[in-house]
Amino acid sequence: MIRLNQVKLPLDHNQDALQQFVLTKLNISEQQLVNIHVFKRGYDARKKNHITLIYTLDITLVDVDEAKLLTAFEKDTNVRISPDTDYQYVASAPANLQERPIVIGMGPCGLFVALMLAQMGFKPIVLERGKSVHERAKDTFRFWRTSELNTESNVQFGEGGAGTFSDGKLYSQVKDPGFKGLKVKQEFVAAGAPAEIIYVSKPHIGTYKLVTMVEKMRRKIIELGGEIRFETRVEEINMEAQGEDKQVTGVTLHNGEVINSRYVVAAVGHSARDTFQMLHDKGVYMEAQSFSIGFRIEHKQEMIDQARFGINAGHPILGAADYKLVHHCKNGRSVYSFCMCPGGVVVAATSEEHAVVTNGMSQYSRSERNANSAIVVGISPEDFNNDPLQGVALQRKLERHAYVMGGSNYDAPAQMVGDFLAAGKGKPFENVEPSYKPNVKMTDLSEALPQFAIDAIREALPAFAKKIRGFDSKDAMLTGVETRTSSPVQIKRGADLQSLNTKGLYPGGEGAGYAGGILSAGIDGIKIAEAVALKMLSDIAE
Ligand code: FAD
């Protein structure tokens, strides 16, 4: 197959245009063209009234000497042989496998570790502190409706992990030479995701579809011999000394039960603060990691569509518009938009009592009236003395303060952008109705974050308005606080993906500092599954 990159056509090109392009570009006849497969489709909206679609195509040919054709295009980097993107399993478990690997956490990382290990025959045991996704959805929606929080079953904890109630964006900037991201997406499609996620450049699934997909993937793991236990919190990872290091021997659960295994994957997410503490107390090597703090901002989606797509706003191929913004401030800080949810809502995302944390989610249709994103300021380990757990302490402090500012009932503090920029008091909202549930309390948000962060956001919003007209409009809505953009710790691991000083412990996903979203967590899960499988086979062989 021949791959054509950077195939640019107008947004409204007709059905035949792709074929015509291929025939002309490769100088072949219609009879020689067997199939055009769209590997990727993105768009360039820099000129909003002249948006172009950009394709990557895989072309199947017949009666064509591909080697000769490629020689003719030697100097054209957009014509190459198509790479082999099929996933190859690295191992297969022996029938008489004695030991089973343990996977802690069933977010996208743990889910893919378990699925891949199960597909290779390693029959993992998955331990998830939260409930099954159906029961968890009930608890989460109850919290949004009634302010009754279940600290073990919420937006962060439970089957499917943190991204289950989300926009389900499925793209990532991680380097992925082995096409593991494609494998993640193929498994999602097999579990019911729309087929387009394979080829559109910014795929998303939306929250309801994710819930049913996770259930299907769970069933597959169980069919393949895996075991999944919900409402099962790992209290301790057990270890024994091994020279200067340690070797994992298993886990102790919240009910005192011990499960032995020399292979334990910790895919606990960025909100498992008690688990970080336990690992730190046990001497597992970890370092503080940068994260960000800020607010969620909401605008009318139609305003963002107009600003981004002009006369093409509402075009079905483009869908609801997103954006990505960054501003480098005079005080040396950077402010950026994060986890943008077109046509979505702001959600209450705490897993701890007496805390308010914002995040965003949307349905596949992205049809809610507001667009939202986090507007956050990066902070680095030096901001919290490089102590691994001080970042957690800072997050918690800000979340508890936001809880008090919101009225101590899980309502979130909010303010219109105009009032925030003018350092004014919180007045009732006007045009942009805040979507956060249970509710918001209009107040003065300048007290919600450290002064450097407030200064940076005040500088950035007008700068963003130069890229998206109206971004700093006075009725845009800010809701706080956004603190869980990434993990405040990194649990260091070596090339074999085991903890640097605790053999048999495989820290993975976002909580350990190796992923920043659903797709990258899934990719990391595949890498870990491969590493565990190969290590188990080599230990068996010894
Ligand atoms: P998690 O998904 O956090 O999963 C960790 C799991 O471990 C949890 O289920 C938890 O209950 C369990 N656990 C923790 N401690 C223990 C223990 N001691 N014992 C047993 N189980 C334990 N990313 C995107 O790419 N696109 C999006 O659109 C998007 N939207 C988001 C919206 C929201 C509201 C949130 C909260 C996050 C969103 N994210 C999004 C981020 C994404 O969800 C995370 O990056 C991803 O889920 C990380 O996967 P993970 O498997 O590493 O950890």
Side-chain angles (χ1 to χ4, degrees):
M1 262 192 302
I2 300 291
R3 172 156 293 182
L4 291 183
N5 283 306
Q6 293 290 316
V7 175
K8 294 182 185 169
L9 291 174
L11 178 59
D12 275 318
H13 71 78
N14 62 30
Q15 286 290 324
D16 296 336
L18 266 186
Q19 178 167 338
Q20 266 318 317
F21 179 94
V22 172
L23 296 177
T24 312
K25 173 89 184 175
L26 298 182
N27 194 18
I28 51 168
S29 68
E30 253 184 84
Q31 289 69 34
Q32 289 171 303
L33 178 61
V34 176
N35 187 41
I36 300 176
H37 170 75
V38 177
F39 181 76
K40 193 174 250 179
R41 188 190 70 205
Y43 61 80
D44 180 352
R46 279 174 297 178
K47 291 185 187 147
K48 60 187 173 191
N49 294 331
H50 298 281
I51 294 175
T52 47
L53 296 179
I54 306 176
Y55 293 92
T56 301
L57 304 174
D58 286 324
I59 317 294
T60 310
L61 301 168
V62 67
D63 293 336
V64 174
D65 183 340
E66 291 193 357
K68 206 167 154 195
L69 185 139
L70 285 168
T71 313
F73 284 95
E74 216 170 23
K75 294 206 173 112
D76 186 342
T77 51
N78 290 322
V79 185
R80 289 286 176 262
I81 197 89
S82 299
D84 180 2
T85 55
D86 286 349
Y87 181 76
Q88 308 291 340
Y89 292 92
V90 297
S92 173
N96 62 344
L97 188 73
Q98 301 296 315
E99 204 166 354
R100 299 175 74 179
I102 292 173
V103 182
I104 310 173
M106 204 179 162
C109 180
L111 188 62
F112 273 90
V113 177
L115 182 66
M116 302 300 293
L117 282 173
Q119 287 176 351
M120 291 186 277
F122 287 88
K123 300 183 171 47
I125 302 173
V126 183
L127 306 169
E128 165 57 57
R129 70 194 295 164
K131 296 184 186 175
S132 67
V133 70
H134 190 70
E135 293 305 309
R136 173 188 178 204
K138 287 192 209 160
D139 290 332
T140 306
F141 282 81
R142 185 180 308 113
F143 172 53
W144 293 341
R145 244 186 10 260
T146 66
S147 306
E148 275 173 63
L149 174 70
N150 180 336
T151 54
E152 293 295 297
S153 176
N154 47 56
V155 171
Q156 307 291 351
F157 294 159
E159 184 184 23
T164 307
F165 308 106
S166 81
D167 182 41
K169 283 177 281 296
L170 281 186
Y171 40 92
S172 137
Q173 313 214 318
V174 294
K175 288 204 179 87
D176 183 24
F179 300 100
K180 292 186 170 61
L182 183 60
K183 172 71 174 161
V184 171
K185 289 191 258 182
Q186 284 166 342
E187 291 293 347
F188 279 150
V189 170
E196 81 202 15
I197 68 164
I198 301 280
Y199 65 84
V200 296
S201 64
K202 290 183 178 177
H204 75 282
I205 307 180
T207 193
Y208 285 131
K209 283 192 200 298
L210 268 166
V211 168
T212 51
M213 284 159 49
V214 167
E215 283 176 327
K216 281 198 187 142
M217 292 171 81
R218 177 219 304 163
R219 282 200 287 274
K220 200 161 165 184
I221 294 168
I222 294 169
E223 273 164 26
L224 291 167
E227 180 184 337
I228 297 174
R229 297 206 209 168
F230 296 117
E231 298 180 69
T232 304
R233 192 178 58 247
V234 171
E235 291 277 83
E236 214 165 323
I237 295 184
N238 305 324
M239 307 164 187
E240 62 188 16
Q242 196 178 75
E244 297 206 338
D245 291 343
K246 295 175 269 290
Q247 166 66 48
V248 160
T249 58
V251 298
T252 303
L253 308 181
H254 67 286
N255 58 6
E257 183 185 341
V258 173
I259 307 177
N260 292 325
S261 174
R262 287 174 298 154
Y263 313 94
V264 174
V265 178
V268 296
H270 61 26
S271 290
R273 295 168 173 174
D274 48 359
T275 313
F276 294 155
Q277 182 74 55
M278 175 271 290
L279 292 169
H280 187 253
D281 293 348
K282 290 244 157 193
V284 173
Y285 184 72
M286 58 178 73
E287 290 178 3
Q289 186 180 244
S290 305
F291 61 98
S292 302
I293 54 174
F295 303 124
R296 276 269 146 183
I297 193 163
E298 286 184 273
H299 302 90
K300 285 267 170 70
Q301 180 64 46
E302 61 196 23
M303 187 277 265
I304 302 292
D305 290 345
Q306 274 298 327
R308 290 273 285 115
F309 297 152
I311 56 168
N312 294 303
H315 193 289
I317 286 191
L318 300 172
D322 65 358
Y323 57 78
K324 198 166 181 211
L325 299 163
V326 61
H327 174 71
H328 303 292
C329 299
K330 286 193 232 87
N331 67 4
R333 304 278 171 173
S334 289
V335 179
Y336 62 101
S337 63
F338 174 76
C339 190
M340 199 267 153
C341 295
V345 292
V346 180
V347 296
T350 185
S351 50
E352 287 190 345
E353 282 185 321
H354 310 303
V356 163
V357 187
T358 54
N359 213 306
M361 82 170 192
S362 57
Q363 303 304 336
Y364 177 65
S365 60
R366 288 178 163 172
S367 57
E368 297 290 335
R369 70 190 147 214
N370 289 351
N372 74 70
S373 76
I375 297 295
V376 288
V377 185
I379 54 175
S380 60
E382 296 83 63
D383 289 315
F384 39 90
N385 304 326
N386 281 309
D387 177 338
L389 293 180
Q390 278 306 306
V392 171
L394 175 62
Q395 286 176 321
R396 190 176 270 148
K397 184 173 143 200
L398 296 174
E399 292 166 9
R400 291 193 171 168
H401 185 50
Y403 176 80
V404 173
M405 288 180 74
S408 300
N409 56 0
Y410 296 105
D411 290 355
Q415 189 174 28
M416 284 191 295
V417 163
D419 294 335
F420 174 73
L421 291 177
K425 294 274 167 239
K427 293 200 288 288
F429 66 84
E430 291 173 7
N431 220 2
V432 181
E433 189 177 337
S435 59
Y436 176 97
K437 298 271 178 292
N439 212 336
V440 297
K441 180 174 172 191
M442 303 302 285
T443 183
D444 175 5
L445 276 183
S446 65
E447 292 167 21
L449 300 175
Q451 193 59 44
F452 70 81
I454 297 294
D455 292 343
I457 294 173
R458 282 194 175 130
E459 184 183 319
L461 292 176
F464 290 160
K466 291 189 181 134
K467 291 170 190 150
I468 294 192
R469 210 157 137 199
F471 201 85
D472 62 348
S473 61
K474 72 179 181 50
D475 61 354
M477 182 59 52
L478 292 170
T479 308
V481 287
E482 189 94 8
T483 45
R484 303 198 193 178
T485 52
S486 56
S487 182
V489 300
Q490 186 171 44
I491 306 174
K492 289 285 187 182
R493 64 190 192 193
D496 58 3
L497 305 197
Q498 297 180 72
S499 150
L500 280 187
N501 66 346
T502 312
K503 296 301 160 211
L505 176 65
Y506 294 81
E510 181 153 27
Y514 297 99
I518 298 168
L519 187 65
S520 55
I523 293 172
D524 199 48
I526 295 180
K527 285 187 198 163
I528 292 175
E530 291 176 350
V532 171
L534 290 173
K535 178 77 171 95
M536 288 181 77
L537 285 188
S538 89
D539 287 350
I540 291 166
E542 269 175 19

